[in-house]
Amino acid sequence: MKWLTWPFRLLGFLLWYAWALVLSNVAVTQDVFTPGHRSSPIVVRYRTRCRSEFETVLLSVLISLTPGTLTLATVARSRDGADGADGTDGGGEGRTQEYDLFVHAMYSDGPRDARSSLQEMETHMLNGIRVDGAPR
């Protein structure tokens, strides 16, 4: 029955993202046109809950499209925690990949705040694009 609500959840995500885009544009514009700087740049590693490369790429693109944030790198790892940064795919046949993103954020109050904002975006995105909704 969740497939019945999927179009509405997708529309809800698109509206939420449009509003988040407006708010981040206002923050960047305000910082540019007022004296002083209110930015506090930080780079964080964020463990995603994405189950596929499509979800990971979509999250990366949404992050980079939002003013004040930029996805710097994506690292695949297998469910057992093996890192794919050495050029391997992080696992053998039958293993599920998980992904970490390295994200540069201009306006956050520290690593916890940046990861919380990323998790909020990811939850809205997964709830919108997955027929079964976002993980709890």
Side-chain angles (χ1 to χ4, degrees), residues 46-128:
Y46 177 69
R47 290 192 145 203
T48 70
R49 294 170 290 156
C50 298
R51 295 189 297 220
S52 68
E53 288 182 10
F54 169 76
E55 291 176 350
T56 306
V57 169
L58 181 60
L59 180 61
S60 297
V61 168
L62 292 171
I63 289 169
S64 294
L65 283 175
T66 306
T69 57
L70 179 66
T71 303
L72 302 174
T74 303
V75 178
R77 67 186 191 304
S78 62
R79 287 230 168 183
D80 61 8
D83 204 349
D86 59 357
T88 64
D89 65 357
E93 214 175 293
R95 291 194 183 174
T96 305
Q97 292 288 314
E98 292 181 340
Y99 303 90
D100 291 351
L101 300 178
F102 287 88
V103 178
H104 179 268
M106 289 294 296
Y107 303 98
S108 68
D109 294 328
R112 183 173 289 158
D113 180 54
R115 287 187 188 100
S116 174
S117 297
L118 293 170
Q119 184 176 16
E120 180 183 13
M121 180 182 286
E122 181 186 33
T123 299
H124 281 280
M125 181 202 75
L126 293 176
N127 195 40

Side-chain angles (χ1 to χ4, degrees), residues 4-71:
L4 288 173
T5 64
W6 176 71
F8 299 107
R9 288 185 284 119
L10 181 59
L11 180 62
F13 164 66
L14 293 173
L15 293 173
W16 177 87
Y17 184 73
W19 181 246
L21 210 55
V22 168
L23 291 179
S24 60
N25 272 299
V26 168
V28 171
T29 303
Q30 189 176 23
D31 197 27
V32 168
F33 289 114
T34 57
H37 294 284
R38 295 186 312 157
S39 64
S40 53
I42 189 169
V43 175
V44 295
R45 183 175 188 158
Y46 177 69
R47 290 192 145 203
T48 70
R49 294 170 290 156
C50 298
R51 295 189 297 220
S52 68
E53 288 182 10
F54 169 76
E55 291 176 350
T56 306
V57 169
L58 181 60
L59 180 61
S60 297
V61 168
L62 292 171
I63 289 169
S64 294
L65 283 175
T66 306
T69 57
L70 179 66
T71 303

